[in-house]
Amino acid sequence: MKYERNTSAMVEAALVALIVTVVILTVGYIPLIGYLTAFMPALFSVVWIRRGRHYGMLSVCVSSILTFILGFPMESFLVLAYGGIIAGFMSEGIRLELKTSQVILLGAIGAALSSVVVLSFTELLTGIGVTQIFTEAIEETKTFINTAQIDPTIVADLNTQMETIGAQMQSMLPFILIVSGMITAVINHWAIYKGLKRIRHEISKPGRFRDFTLPKNVFVGSLMMMALSWLSGMMGFNNSEVLFMNVLLVVVLVFSIQGAAVSVFLMYRQKFPRAVIVAFSVFGILFYSMLQFPLFILGMLEAIINLRDRMRSNA
């Protein structure tokens, strides 16, 4: 009966809201549990996908209200901004039966948007912005270095390096938000898939990473973004160099991921041992800066001449 289905959906939404609230309250006593809040969007998404957007939003709102009543106003806003926005973006993508890469892209956009909302709200309440946070962190580090019994020449070099790192971090903030959003979307999509599979609610199975392919228009779009950011510098717009650097970093990252997929495909094609493939993946994540350029080139070649399709056709 419809009444029974509605009751079941409301109970499920309430249970998820209660679980999220309990986890948030427990973080104050056991900080290690704070890592579980990264999966908050996945919990809401389970209700959102199974029961519909109305019950998904109900679960988010109830959890936020409970957290606020129990005396955690900032965490209450975090539930709405972080859990609600990301869950909404990813759940609607899954309900529309989009590809895994498209769902992850939506999740990354939602995560970046939620970060902007949370940071803006924090600055509005406290008057402390992201730039000031970076500046204060650098100053505290420099103070600690100055108080340590270290050779003055080394102290001067360390202070210079810290100032350089601080300036780079501030200029790379958009790129950092995008990367963190992508990581958040990937882990939550994995959690959504595993959670729904466990309760026997099937969604489209994620494809294998070695078959990952960027949309055909990404190459042209990347060139257009880089050209526009370069033209903004030629026309004298403010912060054009920062814009071009962030666009370049995003383009390199995207095609490096494509290059990594091609590399894994080649290793499977040559029948490398699984241990070697796992070691390559771990090494690539830990030492991305060393493999960045070759992976970028490989990803560009895949986008231009379809390396894997040519290999399959020649097999």
Side-chain angles (χ1 to χ4, degrees):
M1 295 178 61
K2 184 177 180 180
Y3 174 77
E4 292 177 349
R5 291 198 298 269
N6 291 342
T7 302
S8 176
M10 290 184 66
V11 170
E12 186 174 327
L15 284 174
V16 169
L18 183 60
I19 290 171
V20 173
T21 304
V22 170
V23 170
I24 292 175
L25 296 180
T26 310
V27 170
Y29 302 97
I30 310 175
L32 187 62
I33 296 181
Y35 293 105
L36 295 178
T37 57
F39 297 98
M40 188 193 308
L43 291 171
F44 292 132
S45 294
V46 170
V47 179
W48 201 304
I49 295 167
R50 277 169 49 85
R51 304 299 185 178
R53 63 178 63 93
H54 297 94
Y55 291 104
M57 289 187 287
L58 175 64
S59 182
V60 174
C61 293
V62 169
S63 179
S64 177
I65 292 171
L66 286 174
T67 307
F68 183 84
I69 292 175
L70 293 172
F72 295 86
M74 288 298 297
E75 288 78 358
S76 171
F77 181 76
L78 186 65
V79 170
L80 287 175
Y82 175 72
I85 293 177
I86 300 176
F89 274 66
M90 298 190 71
S91 299
E92 289 302 312
I94 293 174
R95 284 168 59 85
L96 293 172
E97 299 183 353
L98 300 179
K99 295 180 180 178
T100 300
S101 58
Q102 294 172 322
V103 174
I104 291 175
L105 176 60
L106 283 176
I109 294 172
L113 177 61
S114 68
S115 298
V116 172
V117 172
V118 170
L119 292 173
S120 300
F121 182 74
T122 303
E123 184 175 3
L124 180 65
L125 289 182
T126 63
I128 301 175
V130 180
T131 303
Q132 187 174 349
I133 293 174
F134 277 122
T135 303
E136 291 181 356
I138 295 297
E139 291 300 325
E140 289 179 2
T141 306
K142 289 169 62 178
T143 302
F144 174 77
I145 293 173
N146 292 331
T147 55
Q149 296 180 352
I150 306 176
D151 183 74
T153 305
I154 298 178
V155 170
D157 291 339
L158 290 175
N159 287 336
T160 303
Q161 292 177 12
M162 293 302 301
E163 291 176 357
T164 303
I165 293 173
Q168 290 177 347
M169 292 290 288
Q170 292 180 34
S171 61
M172 291 172 56
L173 183 59
F175 174 72
I176 294 172
L177 290 178
I178 292 172
V179 173
S180 62
M182 184 180 66
I183 295 173
T184 300
V186 169
I187 63 175
N188 275 279
H189 186 274
W190 173 83
I192 292 169
Y193 176 77
K194 291 296 184 181
L196 290 175
K197 184 178 180 180
R198 190 170 185 83
I199 58 178
R200 298 180 181 179
H201 184 94
E202 294 293 334
I203 61 175
S204 57
K205 187 177 180 179
R208 296 172 299 186
F209 177 69
R210 62 179 180 268
D211 296 327
F212 170 74
T213 303
L214 293 171
K216 298 298 182 183
N217 54 0
V218 168
F219 178 72
V220 177
S222 300
L223 293 178
M224 291 181 62
M225 287 192 300
M226 293 182 65
L228 289 174
S229 60
W230 177 76
L231 286 174
S232 67
M234 296 295 293
M235 297 174 66
F237 286 98
N238 293 331
N239 299 322
S240 58
E241 294 181 358
V242 174
L243 173 63
F244 180 78
M245 183 187 69
N246 281 277
V247 170
L248 180 61
L249 288 172
V250 171
V251 170
V252 170
L253 175 65
V254 169
F255 283 100
S256 296
I257 295 173
Q258 178 71 92
V262 176
S263 300
V264 174
F265 170 82
L266 292 174
M267 285 189 286
Y268 271 100
R269 184 180 177 83
Q270 298 300 322
K271 297 181 180 179
F272 277 53
R274 182 175 293 273
V276 175
I277 299 174
V278 172
F280 170 80
S281 303
V282 174
F283 182 85
I285 294 173
L286 296 177
F287 303 96
Y288 168 70
S289 58
M290 296 175 60
L291 296 176
Q292 176 178 308
F293 183 72
L295 291 179
F296 169 71
I297 296 298
L298 193 57
M300 291 287 286
L301 289 174
E302 169 66 20
I304 297 172
I305 62 175
N306 297 323
L307 284 174
R308 286 173 294 183
D309 288 342
R310 291 176 180 272
M311 292 178 184
R312 293 187 183 103
S313 61
N314 293 332

